[in-house]
């Protein structure tokens, strides 16, 4: 069940992610990552990974994206892409899929090497805020 979004310019979103990736701080892993997403009000938010000498507490690009989302007025993520240092499409790690679920939900569309997929396909049976309200 691959979904597409013809009104979304995925190439432009990928270019925004590549621009963010170019600002990544990854001196330890040498693995820069950039992300970009559309928000339900039409904004584009971006993020890049930021490492530090204490490897375990580096920030994934998705952390920066969500911080920018909240700092610029909040809203819901609707479309998301992630690129590596070569600018190629990359899928978010499990931790970051959970973060995306919090701010985009199961219908958030992700660009993946396999095509455009809803987050519910990438994070099946996800735990989210609705479970804490029960």
């Amino acid at each position: 069940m691959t979904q597409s979004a013809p009104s979304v310019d995925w190439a432009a979103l990928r270019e925004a992610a590549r621009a963010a990736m170019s600002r990544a701080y990854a001196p330890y892993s040498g693995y820069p990552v950039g992300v970009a997403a559309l928000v339900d009000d039409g904004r584009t938010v971006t993020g890049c990974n930021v490492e530090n000498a204490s490897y375990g507490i580096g920030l994934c690009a998705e952390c920066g994206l969500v911080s920018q989302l909240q700092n610029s007025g909040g809203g819901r993520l609707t479309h998301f892409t992630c690129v590596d240092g070569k600018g190629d499409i990359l899928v978010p790690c499990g931790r970051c899929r959970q973060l995306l679920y919090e701010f985009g939900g199961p219908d958030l569309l992700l660009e993946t090497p396999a095509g455009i997929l809803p987050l519910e396909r990438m994070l099946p049976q996800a735990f989210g805020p609705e479970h804490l309200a029960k």
Side-chain angles (χ1 to χ4, degrees), residues 10 20 29 105 111 119:
W10 286 99
S29 71
E111 183 177 38
L119 184 55

Side-chain angles (χ1 to χ4, degrees), residues 11-12 16 21 26 32 36 43 47-48 61 63 73 78 81 84 92 102 104-105 112 114 118 120 130 133:
M21 177 272 299
R43 283 177 294 139
C48 62
C63 293
T78 61
T81 193
D84 64 16
E102 183 83 15
T112 77
E120 68 185 346
E130 66 278 6

Side-chain angles (χ1 to χ4, degrees), residues 17-130:
R18 287 178 178 142
M21 177 272 299
S22 74
R23 295 184 291 276
Y25 180 73
Y28 306 105
S29 71
Y31 197 79
V33 175
V35 296
L38 296 180
V39 183
D40 58 2
D41 65 5
R43 283 177 294 139
T44 298
V45 290
T46 61
C48 62
N49 59 322
V50 178
E51 298 175 348
N52 66 65
S54 177
Y55 290 93
I57 59 172
L59 299 174
C60 293
E62 291 83 351
C63 293
L65 180 135
V66 167
S67 181
Q68 186 183 66
L69 171 71
Q70 289 304 110
N71 194 41
S72 64
R76 298 294 286 170
L77 301 174
T78 61
H79 301 79
F80 173 88
T81 193
C82 180
V83 299
D84 64 16
K86 296 177 187 171
D88 295 333
I89 298 168
L90 182 66
V91 293
C93 71
R95 173 187 179 266
C96 290
R97 292 177 199 188
Q98 184 66 43
L99 185 62
L100 293 171
Y101 187 86
E102 183 83 15
F103 294 93
D107 297 326
L108 170 62
L109 295 178
L110 280 71
E111 183 177 38
T112 77
I116 307 302
L117 298 173
L119 184 55
E120 68 185 346
R121 291 270 312 272
M122 304 295 293
L123 190 66
Q125 301 181 39
F127 179 85
E130 66 278 6

